[in-house]
Amino acid sequence: MSVNLETNAAVDKYPSRISDKPELLDRKDPVVYTEWKESSGVTKEQFDSYDKNGYLMLDSFFSEAEIAQWRAELARLQEEFRTKPKEEVIREPGGDEVRSIFAVHKQNEIFKKVSEHPRLKQLVDNLLGSETYIHQSRINYKPGFNGKEFYWHSDFETWHVEDGMPSMRALSCSIALEDNFHYNGALMVVPGSHKKFITCVGQTPENHYKDSLRKQEYGVPDQNSLTQIVKEGGIDTAVGKAGSILLFDCNTMHGSNSNITPLPRSNVFLVFNSVENRLVAPFSGQQPRPEYIATRD
Amino acid sequence: MSVNLETNAAVDKYPSRISDKPELLDRKDPVVYTEWKESSGVTKEQFDSYDKNGYLMLDSFFSEAEIAQWRAELARLQEEFRTKPKEEVIREPGGDEVRSIFAVHKQNEIFKKVSEHPRLKQLVDNLLGSETYIHQSRINYKPGFNGKEFYWHSDFETWHVEDGMPSMRALSCSIALEDNFHYNGALMVVPGSHKKFITCVGQTPENHYKDSLRKQEYGVPDQNSLTQIVKEGGIDTAVGKAGSILLFDCNTMHGSNSNITPLPRSNVFLVFNSVENRLVAPFSGQQPRPEYIATRD
């Protein structure tokens, strides 16, 4: 991998973790990269809603049979890695329970197929206006009773600073493997937040990603900016049955509260990036995170 | 205060923190202690719903002017006790921020009047079928951004074991001083859970209440029992505008998730106990908790 740090610094459209004061910058990239057409895979209203709000919930996108298979595979992997050490396995803060397994699109035949699902791929490629590839994949266990909260963040802020993603031309797809209710830690999004970029304060220490996957400490937006975007856009909760998917732009502000209910909330998480937006050197000037967190090959 | 520990042990209808195996016991007391009548202060449907589900949400019970005054008083007290030490003031785990102030019905003129509010008192006295008095009062700050979760519990379990409340003839009233949304840590209740008593395992250490008000470790129901009652009753979230009240039976299982949103969720919390159900010695056989947590005078 050959990268040029000076070049990156010159074209940094979204500088973050540099200044000691947060700023609310305007987005400099489109949200959808094509016009809507019949073959887009969603209605014109859904397409426009994604553009405007930065996310789209689609109920019953996958069948019950598909979900049952993936849930079984997830349970199998959770059991397999309960005690077995593996770099791609992230555990709950203060415990050994498996929280996430990364790079499942490479290391697991079943989830590799999910990441190549033709109907999903067509929809995503249409929104991003090009071929796409998987930037990151993971399966998340959000267990019942003690599911931890995940504080507000823009994924793009991290992918830009720590992974070197140049532009906002990526999106995430969260596939619900369990029913998502208001009360079991469902993802919250701030509608319209994808059109602003909140610069974060504080330098990033080298190799902090190992902790940040368990508990976030860098790339955390400030309370004033959060208050402002919530005042403007409100909060929406991604409630839906197992089999529903949530598509959300890489810069949509999101987070989730804890989950004390007995109901787990597991999902498959796939990040699609445009092939026109491949990673360069991290804009932090630091070493890139490992391949299983941010695909470079 | 003169109490007879032996007598208590003989009439303990709800033994808890004694066995090392949890049990689901049937409730041995009524829920409502009178028949519905016109003067009950709620409709027959509401009255019956409280009886059946163990809680009742009443929108716009208090006026905007009342709420504005109480919110201002709460802000004033929060400021006053930010650094001033006081036994009745409970702070956030791992921080100095004020979480709750107890005994406001005694120590604060404004909240004393709230606790004697005629329309509320009439409603409560009717449900409990007798005169009532305030067993416990507090104002709770659930701040935005880092409002902590509160794990599932039955208040009665604690009041019985630690305070010596003999029977289930008490209820709580939570007055919303802010809008309660699904996403800002609103109270969750398990409908119908008040008809079962989950015995908890583990002895209670002396004086543990000082920590338990910050973070609960004893009187915690087991996961199997919680799973069972949620399977039977589901989960309901007490969503409502400022000025709404939630009445819930002393044995209704409740808890709340964390609150990472910018929106605080403060409330006034009043526990009414029947004068026929005054405290005896704690069923734990231990020293009673202090007066500001459990009124005995």
Side-chain angles (χ1 to χ4, degrees):
Chain A
M1 175 173 50
S2 120
V3 287
N4 183 336
L5 295 181
E6 280 176 50
T7 310
N8 285 357
V11 297
D12 188 350
K13 292 190 280 188
Y14 302 105
S16 186
R17 308 192 207 176
I18 291 168
S19 165
D20 59 359
K21 285 218 181 95
E23 271 186 287
L24 257 176
L25 306 178
D26 284 330
R27 182 185 181 113
K28 295 177 180 66
D29 298 306
V31 179
V32 296
Y33 282 73
T34 49
E35 299 291 307
W36 177 83
K37 45 190 175 298
E38 288 288 345
S39 62
S40 289
V42 286
T43 68
K44 175 80 164 67
E45 288 67 34
Q46 290 171 323
F47 193 86
D48 290 346
S49 173
Y50 177 85
D51 191 10
K52 180 186 170 205
N53 296 311
Y55 66 97
L56 185 61
M57 190 87 189
L58 297 171
D59 286 331
S60 306
F61 192 87
F62 292 113
S63 71
E64 282 179 30
E66 286 172 311
I67 294 299
Q69 186 200 16
W70 304 341
R71 198 157 46 196
E73 180 64 2
L74 173 138
R76 194 189 66 73
L77 289 172
Q78 187 167 32
E79 200 46 55
E80 180 177 347
F81 292 108
R82 195 175 292 279
T83 52
K84 190 157 76 175
K86 187 175 166 72
E87 195 179 30
E88 290 82 352
V89 174
I90 311 299
R91 298 174 197 279
E92 289 284 339
D96 283 339
E97 204 152 354
V98 172
R99 178 186 183 126
S100 307
I101 302 179
F102 277 76
V104 285
H105 73 291
K106 285 185 179 172
Q107 304 186 359
N108 180 282
E109 273 311 306
I110 288 177
F111 291 115
K112 182 170 188 292
K113 274 195 191 148
V114 181
S115 76
E116 295 163 350
H117 200 284
R119 200 156 42 92
L120 177 60
K121 192 97 171 62
Q122 184 192 6
L123 170 53
V124 169
D125 290 6
N126 253 295
L127 287 169
L128 297 180
S130 73
E131 285 289 311
T132 58
Y133 70 99
I134 298 290
H135 166 66
Q136 184 188 96
S137 74
R138 58 180 198 265
I139 47 180
N140 293 310
Y141 304 93
K142 191 143 188 173
F145 299 112
N146 58 0
K148 299 293 184 299
E149 68 188 31
F150 215 99
Y151 197 68
W152 299 108
H153 61 288
S154 148
D155 289 325
F156 178 77
E157 197 275 345
T158 297
W159 298 340
H160 182 69
V161 173
E162 300 190 22
D163 298 336
M165 183 181 283
S167 299
M168 295 179 182
R169 196 171 178 177
L171 63 78
S172 296
C173 173
S174 174
I175 306 171
L177 298 186
E178 319 268 356
D179 295 348
N180 283 243
F181 300 99
H182 280 293
Y183 41 73
N184 66 336
L187 206 74
M188 300 184 289
V189 293
V190 180
S193 58
H194 63 311
K195 302 229 168 141
K196 296 282 178 190
F197 180 72
I198 300 179
T199 70
C200 301
V201 302
Q203 269 278 326
T204 322
E206 288 280 359
N207 284 323
H208 93 103
Y209 69 88
K210 287 180 189 170
D211 294 323
S212 80
L213 299 176
R214 295 169 66 128
K215 193 170 188 328
Q216 192 147 8
E217 287 181 71
Y218 301 92
V220 176
D222 65 294
Q223 297 191 349
N224 283 344
S225 302
L226 285 172
T227 302
Q228 186 172 332
I229 62 170
V230 168
K231 197 173 277 180
E232 285 167 15
I235 291 173
D236 196 6
T237 309
V239 168
K241 292 272 172 198
S244 65
I245 66 169
L246 173 73
L247 297 173
F248 60 103
D249 178 82
C250 56
N251 189 44
T252 299
M253 189 61 66
H254 62 288
S256 58
N257 284 317
S258 63
N259 175 22
I260 67 166
T261 80
L263 308 160
R265 199 186 62 79
S266 305
N267 58 54
V268 182
F269 198 82
L270 300 168
V271 181
F272 296 88
N273 188 27
S274 166
V275 294
E276 312 290 327
N277 193 37
R278 285 192 184 272
L279 304 189
V280 294
F283 287 84
S284 62
Q286 296 177 331
Q287 284 301 307
R289 300 193 296 178
E291 182 74 23
Y292 72 86
I293 300 179
T295 307
R296 291 178 179 272
D297 60 5
Chain B
M1 178 172 46
S2 121
V3 288
N4 184 335
L5 297 181
E6 280 174 51
T7 309
N8 284 356
V11 296
D12 189 350
K13 293 189 280 187
Y14 303 104
S16 186
R17 307 191 208 177
I18 291 168
S19 166
D20 59 358
K21 285 216 182 98
E23 270 187 287
L24 258 175
L25 306 178
D26 285 329
R27 182 186 182 112
K28 295 177 181 66
D29 299 306
V31 180
V32 296
Y33 281 74
T34 49
E35 299 291 306
W36 177 83
K37 43 189 176 299
E38 287 288 343
S39 62
S40 290
V42 286
T43 67
K44 176 80 165 64
E45 288 68 34
Q46 289 171 325
F47 193 87
D48 290 345
S49 172
Y50 177 85
D51 191 9
K52 180 185 171 204
N53 296 311
Y55 65 97
L56 185 61
M57 190 86 189
L58 296 171
D59 288 330
S60 308
F61 192 87
F62 291 114
S63 71
E64 284 179 28
E66 286 172 312
I67 294 300
Q69 188 201 16
W70 303 341
R71 196 157 47 198
E73 180 64 2
L74 174 138
R76 195 189 68 72
L77 289 171
Q78 187 168 30
E79 199 47 54
E80 180 177 348
F81 293 106
R82 195 174 292 281
T83 52
K84 191 157 76 176
K86 187 176 165 71
E87 197 180 27
E88 290 82 351
V89 174
I90 311 300
R91 299 174 197 279
E92 289 285 337
D96 285 338
E97 205 153 352
V98 172
R99 178 186 181 125
S100 305
I101 302 178
F102 276 76
V104 286
H105 73 291
K106 286 184 178 171
Q107 304 186 0
N108 182 282
E109 272 312 305
I110 289 177
F111 292 115
K112 182 169 188 293
K113 275 197 190 147
V114 181
S115 76
E116 295 163 351
H117 199 284
R119 200 156 43 92
L120 177 60
K121 193 97 172 60
Q122 185 192 3
L123 170 53
V124 169
D125 289 6
N126 252 295
L127 288 168
L128 297 179
S130 73
E131 284 289 311
T132 58
Y133 69 99
I134 298 292
H135 166 66
Q136 183 188 96
S137 74
R138 59 180 198 265
I139 47 179
N140 293 310
Y141 303 92
K142 192 142 188 173
F145 299 112
N146 57 1
K148 300 294 184 297
E149 69 189 30
F150 215 99
Y151 197 69
W152 299 109
H153 61 288
S154 148
D155 289 326
F156 178 77
E157 197 277 343
T158 297
W159 299 339
H160 182 69
V161 173
E162 300 191 23
D163 298 336
M165 183 180 283
S167 299
M168 295 180 182
R169 196 172 179 176
L171 63 78
S172 297
C173 172
S174 174
I175 306 170
L177 298 185
E178 319 269 354
D179 294 349
N180 283 242
F181 300 98
H182 281 293
Y183 42 72
N184 65 337
L187 206 74
M188 299 183 291
V189 293
V190 180
S193 58
H194 62 312
K195 302 229 169 140
K196 296 282 179 191
F197 180 72
I198 301 179
T199 70
C200 301
V201 302
Q203 269 276 328
T204 323
E206 288 279 358
N207 285 322
H208 93 102
Y209 68 87
K210 287 181 188 165
D211 294 323
S212 80
L213 299 176
R214 296 168 67 128
K215 193 168 187 334
Q216 192 148 8
E217 288 180 70
Y218 301 93
V220 177
D222 65 293
Q223 297 190 349
N224 284 344
S225 302
L226 284 173
T227 302
Q228 185 172 332
I229 62 170
V230 167
K231 197 174 277 179
E232 284 168 15
I235 291 173
D236 196 5
T237 309
V239 167
K241 293 273 174 197
S244 65
I245 66 169
L246 174 73
L247 297 173
F248 60 104
D249 178 81
C250 58
N251 189 44
T252 299
M253 189 61 66
H254 62 288
S256 58
N257 284 316
S258 63
N259 175 22
I260 66 165
T261 79
L263 307 160
R265 199 185 61 80
S266 305
N267 59 54
V268 181
F269 198 83
L270 301 168
V271 181
F272 296 88
N273 188 27
S274 166
V275 294
E276 312 291 327
N277 193 37
R278 284 190 186 275
L279 303 190
V280 294
F283 288 83
S284 61
Q286 296 179 329
Q287 284 302 307
R289 300 192 296 176
E291 182 73 23
Y292 71 87
I293 299 178
T295 306
R296 290 178 179 273
D297 61 4

